[in-house]
Each structure stands twice: as C-alpha cells, then as structure tokens.
Amino acid sequence: MATRKTISSASKKSLLPWLGIAAIVLLLDQLSKIAITRLFHYGEIRPVTGFFNLVLVYNKGAAFSFLASESGWQRHVLTVVGICAALFILFLLKRHAGQRMFCWALALILGGALGNVIDRIAYGHVIDFLDVFVGNWHWPAFNLADSAICLGAGLFVLDELRRVNK
C-alpha cells in the first residue's frame, strides 16, 4: 500500500513541472494578446524590421487561416478539438512524465492549444499579431501560442528521431 502512495506521489510531483511550463506559455500568450489589443487597432501595422511587423488581426479558422471563411461552425469544432487535444496531452504527460524532451514538447503544445481555445471561447476568434514576410510574401499572422505549438511539434519530431536512432 505504501508503495502505491509513493508511486502516485512521485507521478503527481513529476507532472507539475510540465503543467508549469504549459501555464507559463498560456500566461505569456494571453498577456501578449491583451497588450496588442490595447495598443493596436484592428489591421494596424507597425514595422519592426525588414522582415517582421506587428499587426492586429483576427483568425476565425485554424492554422494558416484554414476554414476562416466558413460560416462560424468552425469556432465550436476547433474549440472542442483544442479541449480534446489538451485532455489527451494531460493523459500523455501523466503517463510519460519522466521523458523530458517528449514532455517539453507536450507542455508547449498544451499551453499553446489552451491559449487559442481561450481566445475562441472569449472572442469567437484567435488574436494574431506576429507578421513575418520576405519581400511582398507574408506568412499568415500568428501569435505566441502558435509559436509554442510549432516549437513543441519540432521537439516532438526531434525526440522521435532521437528515439529511432537509439
């Protein structure tokens, strides 16, 4: 019986750092979105460098504005998908809490997914403001949550490649 409690306590303790990372991502994402909406008008562009602008735009769709022109159903579907993904990530974090790179990836994705879910619930769209471009070609605007999701996906791929090479 004591062994089970020890294992359970160790599992809960090892989950906390990953939840902390996700919480930091979520906090930075939401604070940056609050700041940008208070400092910018919709569509306002402020050049930062020769390849990067700050611009306030709203994305009613998914990544790269996929489904953005739909009638509104996508808000609910993408919110449910984000919540389901977050629950699955929590399951994976609890199960694999000792695998550092894998859990870093999951924690970054979790924080980013929840950041965008909060936007969809609160505003009906995701607030994007980072605009990267080359010449006249612009990537779709994105935010810190999207950046964390991409970084997490990259770490996930790196972790899998590392695991395959062992």
Side-chain angles (χ1 to χ4, degrees):
M1 186 103 157
T3 307
R4 279 190 177 165
K5 285 182 181 177
T6 305
I7 292 170
S8 179
S9 296
S11 176
K12 286 181 184 177
K13 286 181 183 177
S14 63
L15 186 61
L16 287 177
W18 310 122
L19 295 178
I21 292 166
I24 290 168
V25 168
L26 177 63
L27 181 66
L28 292 174
D29 174 64
Q30 290 299 302
L31 288 174
S32 66
K33 290 172 179 174
I34 289 167
I36 207 79
T37 56
R38 291 194 178 175
L39 296 171
F40 284 65
H41 299 287
Y42 180 79
E44 182 180 352
I45 299 170
R46 291 192 192 164
V48 177
T49 68
F51 60 89
F52 175 69
N53 296 326
L54 292 174
V55 58
L56 175 59
V57 295
Y58 304 138
N59 180 3
K60 293 185 180 200
F64 302 108
S65 297
F66 177 67
L67 301 175
S69 61
E70 293 297 320
S71 62
W73 61 264
Q74 72 276 21
R75 171 188 181 189
H76 306 292
V77 170
L78 294 171
T79 300
V80 169
V81 167
I83 291 169
C84 289
L87 292 172
F88 184 63
I89 289 169
L90 287 172
F91 167 77
L92 290 174
L93 281 170
K94 186 171 184 171
R95 190 164 209 200
H96 303 282
Q99 297 177 10
R100 294 178 60 86
M101 190 178 299
F102 182 70
C103 289
W104 262 101
L106 290 174
L108 290 170
I109 293 169
L110 176 62
L114 289 176
N116 285 339
V117 164
I118 288 171
D119 283 11
R120 281 187 176 62
I121 291 170
Y123 312 115
H125 56 260
V126 173
I127 297 167
D128 288 331
F129 58 91
L130 302 171
D131 175 32
V132 177
F133 59 93
V134 175
N136 289 329
W137 192 84
H138 292 252
W139 276 266
F142 56 99
N143 56 45
L144 294 183
D146 299 332
S147 300
I149 291 169
C150 289
L151 182 58
L155 284 176
F156 184 72
V157 170
L158 184 62
D159 181 58
E160 193 60 29
L161 290 172
R162 190 184 72 176
R163 196 172 296 136
V164 168
N165 287 333
K166 280 187 176 181

